[in-house]
């Protein structure tokens, strides 16, 4: 089955710096890659996603890139702010995620120091 | 529109007992997925229900089961609880269309003593 690896497990940056989180997946049939942010004590929330037919997607300070050949995708956060501090999870799924079975990486705890 | 709700929010059980957790999806969402979240293993997919039928299943023992009702509400049951079952159990609902967001509930924190 699908396996998703995520690095680093912890990341500490200064406010205003950029943060990059990387994930690799094993199943070439995966075609949907969402990223979730989970603040302490709260539910995971989708922040951005990308489909396999797209190489890059941006939403304000957040961007995701996908390399299908290498089977890896990355989350980029620019101009980080203290409120970006949270645990970020990448995930992969087949059939556009329509079957509800997201396979998650183990998460990256991002700390943004003011 | 009301979000995904889960009850109870907290639960304490002892080894060997069984537990039932409930999830009410967003109105109009007919797919409900369940995930187990632990510090060591992260978020792991348990199973998905759609139209009252289990459609997908993760790699968990048969002690973990679920069902879905005609109003799309779902329940998850864990029998013969083990200490390792202590976790946050999250459900997520979606429209079950491609590239559609899964919306998570707040979770049920289960502690097994």
């Amino acid at each position: 089955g699908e396996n998703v690896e995520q690095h680093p497990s912890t990341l500490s940056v200064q406010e205003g710096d950029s943060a990059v989180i990387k994930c690799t997946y094993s199943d070439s049939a995966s075609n949907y890659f969402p990223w979730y942010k989970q603040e302490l004590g709260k539910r995971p929330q989708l922040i951005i996603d990308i489909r396999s037919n797209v190489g890059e997607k941006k939403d304000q300070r957040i961007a995701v890139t996908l390399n299908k050949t290498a089977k890896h995708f990355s989350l980029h956060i620019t101009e980080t702010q203290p409120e970006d501090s949270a645990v970020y999870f990448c995930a992969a799924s087949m059939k556009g995620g329509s079957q509800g079975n997201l396979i998650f990486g183990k998460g990256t705890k991002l700390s943004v120091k003011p | 529109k009301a979000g995904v709700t889960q009850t109870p929010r907290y639960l304490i059980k002892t080894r060997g007992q069984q537990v039932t957790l409930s999830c009410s999806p967003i109105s109009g969402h007919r797919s409900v997925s369940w995930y187990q979240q632990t510090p060591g293993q992260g978020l792991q997919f348990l199973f998905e229900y759609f139209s009252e039928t289990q459609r997908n299943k993760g790699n968990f023992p048969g002690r973990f089961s679920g069902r879905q009702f005609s109003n799309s509400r779902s329940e998850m049951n864990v029998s013969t609880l083990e200490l390792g079952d202590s976790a946050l159990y999250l459900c997520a609902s979606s429209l079950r269309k491609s590239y559609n967001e899964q919306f998570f509930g707040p979770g049920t924190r289960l502690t097994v003593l």
Side-chain angles (χ1 to χ4, degrees), chain A residues 18-38:
Chain A
S18 294
V20 180
I21 302 170
K22 299 182 179 182
C23 290
T24 59
Y25 61 99
S26 61
D27 196 331
S28 57
S30 290
N31 63 355
Y32 175 62
F33 308 92
W35 286 87
Y36 282 82
K37 174 184 180 182
Q38 187 176 28

Side-chain angles (χ1 to χ4, degrees), chain A:
Chain A
E2 175 64 280
N3 182 53
V4 177
E5 294 194 358
Q6 182 172 347
H7 300 280
S9 56
T10 60
L11 180 60
S12 182
V13 299
Q14 287 295 133
E15 182 177 359
D17 287 351
S18 294
V20 180
I21 302 170
K22 299 182 179 182
C23 290
T24 59
Y25 61 99
S26 61
D27 196 331
S28 57
S30 290
N31 63 355
Y32 175 62
F33 308 92
W35 286 87
Y36 282 82
K37 174 184 180 182
Q38 187 176 28
E39 296 176 68
L40 191 61
K42 296 192 175 180
R43 69 191 76 188
Q45 292 196 301
L46 181 73
I47 55 171
I48 195 167
D49 56 16
I50 192 166
R51 309 177 186 188
S52 61
N53 60 350
V54 175
E56 184 176 4
K57 183 178 178 181
K58 289 183 181 179
D59 183 3
Q60 299 183 333
R61 297 186 297 109
I62 292 173
V64 58
T65 58
L66 171 66
N67 183 326
K68 280 193 302 182
T69 304
K71 288 191 277 189
H72 67 70
F73 56 113
S74 301
L75 177 71
H76 304 252
I77 305 175
T78 58
E79 300 172 22
T80 53
Q81 301 167 4
E83 50 265 40
D84 293 330
S85 295
V87 179
Y88 291 80
F89 293 95
C90 62
S93 183
M94 292 180 276
K95 299 190 179 182
S98 63
Q99 297 190 340
N101 53 340
L102 297 176
I103 305 302
F104 285 89
K106 292 198 174 179
T108 296
K109 183 178 182 181
L110 173 65
S111 300
V112 180
K113 300 184 186 304

Side-chain angles (χ1 to χ4, degrees), chain A residues 31-32 36 38 41-46 49-53 89 95-106, chain B residues 3-4 9 31 33 35 37 40-43 45 48 56 88 90 94 96-106:
Chain A
N31 63 355
Y32 175 62
Y36 282 82
Q38 187 176 28
K42 296 192 175 180
R43 69 191 76 188
Q45 292 196 301
L46 181 73
D49 56 16
I50 192 166
R51 309 177 186 188
S52 61
N53 60 350
F89 293 95
K95 299 190 179 182
S98 63
Q99 297 190 340
N101 53 340
L102 297 176
I103 305 302
F104 285 89
K106 292 198 174 179
Chain B
V4 179
R9 294 293 312 277
S31 170
S33 296
Y35 296 86
Q37 185 173 26
Q41 297 301 317
L43 277 156
F45 172 73
E48 183 226 0
N56 288 287
L88 180 67
L90 293 158
S94 76
R96 211 175 196 262
K97 294 180 180 179
S98 292
Y99 312 115
N100 227 239
E101 180 178 354
Q102 284 194 37
F103 293 85
F104 281 85

Side-chain angles (χ1 to χ4, degrees), chain B:
Chain B
K1 211 180 235 189
V4 179
T5 59
Q6 291 186 246
T7 58
R9 294 293 312 277
Y10 302 91
L11 209 46
I12 299 176
K13 292 286 186 179
T14 55
R15 279 180 298 175
Q17 287 187 309
Q18 74 165 19
V19 66
T20 300
L21 314 181
S22 180
C23 173
S24 293
I26 291 172
S27 178
H29 286 191
R30 294 169 59 200
S31 170
V32 174
S33 296
W34 288 90
Y35 296 86
Q36 180 194 65
Q37 185 173 26
T38 59
Q41 297 301 317
L43 277 156
Q44 292 186 286
F45 172 73
L46 280 154
F47 31 64
E48 183 226 0
Y49 282 86
F50 176 74
S51 293
E52 303 176 61
T53 303
Q54 187 181 93
R55 303 290 179 158
N56 288 287
K57 190 177 189 306
N59 189 27
F60 278 81
R63 300 185 297 107
F64 292 82
S65 62
R67 59 177 175 168
Q68 187 179 37
F69 302 94
S70 58
N71 61 357
S72 295
R73 188 178 70 87
S74 177
E75 287 183 348
M76 187 191 109
N77 185 76
V78 188
S79 62
T80 319
L81 284 167
E82 300 176 359
L83 295 179
D85 297 334
S86 294
L88 180 67
Y89 289 89
L90 293 158
C91 72
S93 77
S94 76
L95 291 169
R96 211 175 196 262
K97 294 180 180 179
S98 292
Y99 312 115
N100 227 239
E101 180 178 354
Q102 284 194 37
F103 293 85
F104 281 85
T108 294
R109 172 73 63 186
L110 171 65
T111 301
V112 182
L113 302 176

